[in-house]
Amino acid sequence: MRVFAVLSALPFAAALTATPAQAAERPACPVPTKAEAKRSSDAKTDKPPRGAAAIKGVRVNHIPKGFAYGGVSVNKHDGITEYGYQWRDARSEENRKHRSLWVRVVCWPKASKLTQLKNAPFGMGTFSGSTRIMKIGGRQVLTQVGDGALGHGRYVGWVERKGVVVTVMAGRPLVPELAKIIKGIEL
């Protein structure tokens, strides 16, 4: 009741809108907290895996069913921050039915065009080999078949806005749902 009393004392418009100063304080790119970076370096596993808000500042609205565990990944290098979450099932990675989904946001100040992803300085999950530009889930993306290092399936990426890249790696059983997954990602 106390919180309600305080909020009701504020002018209604001020309670619902952000001032320009507050809007400017929001990060242009979702960045991990120190706790998330520590979870990543400690290789902590979430059982059961986190849901739609697994990556702070990102919402993954379509997560297929069937995952047993998950984990956050953080990699900072050369002025770039790679921040993501991977959902996995209990099958071996060698099993072609293994279900995995990795969604990552990369804060890369130089990113502005889709074609730059081919030479992006990612620590892991680079676009190497045969890539294509396609429209999937309403977004123009760079895509390639997942190789052994990333798993089997489809790897896609796009520039959400200047300095912000999103990548998704969907394991082979999830490729039919890739359009829904991509369409459901909000920053």
Side-chain angles (χ1 to χ4, degrees):
M1 290 305 275
R2 255 185 147 150
V3 172
F4 180 74
V6 170
L7 286 177
S8 65
L10 294 173
F12 186 71
L16 294 178
T17 60
T19 66
Q22 289 169 325
E25 290 174 12
R26 285 187 217 131
C29 189
V31 293
T33 62
K34 288 180 182 177
E36 290 289 73
K38 182 159 177 29
R39 283 186 65 77
S40 174
S41 68
D42 291 347
K44 296 280 185 182
T45 301
D46 300 321
K47 245 183 173 178
R50 295 179 188 177
I55 307 164
K56 184 182 174 189
V58 178
R59 187 148 186 86
V60 183
N61 290 308
H62 181 76
I63 301 172
K65 303 287 183 213
F67 294 114
Y69 59 96
V72 68
S73 61
V74 176
N75 186 12
K76 293 183 179 187
H77 59 92
D78 306 315
I80 296 172
T81 300
E82 302 177 43
Y83 178 33
Y85 195 85
Q86 187 170 28
W87 293 265
R88 304 168 85 73
D89 72 6
R91 292 181 182 101
S92 162
E93 289 184 28
E94 287 82 34
N95 186 329
R96 297 280 181 172
K97 293 182 180 180
H98 174 70
R99 296 170 59 86
S100 66
L101 174 64
W102 178 37
V103 177
R104 169 180 65 172
V105 176
V106 181
C107 300
W108 178 31
K110 293 180 182 177
S112 63
K113 299 182 294 191
L114 190 58
T115 55
Q116 289 176 291
L117 298 185
K118 183 82 171 148
N119 298 313
F122 301 153
M124 189 170 134
T126 58
F127 286 93
S128 57
S130 181
T131 61
R132 293 188 321 172
I133 293 177
M134 317 176 56
K135 193 163 193 165
I136 302 176
R139 289 189 163 99
Q140 197 76 4
V141 300
L142 186 66
T143 182
Q144 72 180 33
V145 173
D147 60 14
L150 291 178
H152 302 282
R154 175 127 329 256
Y155 181 50
V156 302
W158 65 93
V159 177
E160 180 73 16
R161 58 183 172 263
K162 183 160 178 28
V164 183
V165 175
V166 178
T167 66
V168 176
M169 176 61 200
R172 182 173 285 149
L174 304 180
V175 170
E177 295 184 65
L178 190 55
K180 285 182 185 177
I181 294 165
I182 292 170
K183 188 174 187 171
I185 295 175
E186 300 173 5
L187 272 70

